[in-house]
Amino acid sequence: MDYTDGYLQGQFLIAAPGIQDERFERALLYLYRNDRRGAAGLVINKPSEHIDFSELCEQLSIVVQPEKSHLTLFEGGPVEGNRGYVLHTSDFKGRDTELIPDTGLSLTTTVDVIKRIADGTGPEDALMALGYASWEPGQLENEMTRHGWLYAKADMDVIFGVHHTKRWETVIERLGLNFGGLAEYTGQA
């Protein structure tokens, strides 16, 4: 299989039980890129433990409407943890907004989307993260062959409609797997 064909772009990446990297334990990622440069995605079920949306906006001198102050900010991954990434519906187009083909989603990395979310004029649905996860060409596919990751068709309902504490389990259940019965240790046959 040619791993540069983008077959994982726009998919969920699901950490299998017993994954060797504790940063990704029970993690659900949305892969926004999978091409000749490698793969990249955002963890969409682990809230930031260091800063919340209101604090981020305060640091950026952005006024937040009261109804937006409760929004969750996620730990998107271990790379560039001080940079914001906003996965959102394609109804918003800002500077440096990148459309993710065939998904109805876009990714924006500029402050203008944060300002628009804070004032209530941003995209219909958005998920904000600090940092991202990335893999060199072939690296993720290699990890998948060692059973560290599963993948599934991404669903906007899960991204924007399911509470973050239930996203990993929801995707596992939709795959028809009993995650309680999955082995804690994986390997190759």
Side-chain angles (χ1 to χ4, degrees):
M1 175 180 287
D2 180 5
Y3 294 121
T4 64
D5 66 2
Y7 77 103
L8 290 172
Q9 184 167 301
Q11 302 287 317
F12 285 139
L13 187 64
I14 310 141
I19 193 166
Q20 300 299 310
D21 189 336
E22 65 186 33
R23 297 173 298 178
F24 294 112
E25 186 176 329
R26 295 178 65 98
L28 179 66
L29 289 86
Y30 177 82
L31 290 174
Y32 61 85
R33 183 174 45 117
N34 177 227
D35 58 23
R36 294 188 186 287
R37 297 173 291 169
L42 300 173
V43 177
I44 63 168
N45 68 327
K46 295 185 180 267
S48 174
E49 296 177 0
H50 308 291
I51 187 171
D52 64 28
F53 182 65
S54 292
E55 292 168 329
L56 174 68
C57 288
E58 185 177 318
Q59 287 180 9
L60 297 171
S61 300
I62 297 172
V63 176
V64 181
Q65 296 298 314
E67 67 273 9
K68 300 295 181 180
S69 63
H70 70 283
L71 296 174
T72 303
L73 187 62
F74 291 90
E75 297 279 345
V79 180
E80 293 187 6
N82 60 345
R83 184 171 182 199
Y85 295 81
V86 181
L87 180 66
H88 57 84
T89 49
S90 295
D91 56 323
F92 174 84
K93 302 222 184 318
R95 293 178 309 191
D96 297 326
T97 295
E98 182 180 331
L99 180 67
I100 303 165
D102 303 318
T103 65
L105 295 173
S106 294
L107 184 74
T108 303
T109 58
T110 54
V111 175
D112 61 322
V113 70
I114 301 289
K115 290 178 184 175
R116 298 282 299 276
I117 290 169
D119 72 15
T121 62
E124 182 177 335
D125 290 307
L127 183 140
M128 296 165 287
L130 292 175
Y132 68 100
S134 70
W135 295 264
E136 296 293 324
Q139 180 184 0
L140 176 58
E141 293 81 6
N142 184 40
E143 289 180 20
M144 291 173 71
T145 63
R146 293 188 323 236
H147 307 289
W149 298 101
L150 306 169
Y151 73 96
K153 184 178 188 319
D155 182 339
M156 281 201 274
D157 175 56
V158 172
I159 298 168
F160 302 120
V162 174
H163 193 270
H164 65 83
T165 59
K166 299 291 183 192
R167 288 179 185 151
W168 186 83
E169 291 88 349
T170 298
V171 174
I172 292 287
E173 289 168 5
R174 287 182 181 182
L175 285 173
L177 300 174
N178 176 353
F179 68 88
L182 291 174
E184 285 295 316
Y185 303 97
T186 58
Q188 293 178 295

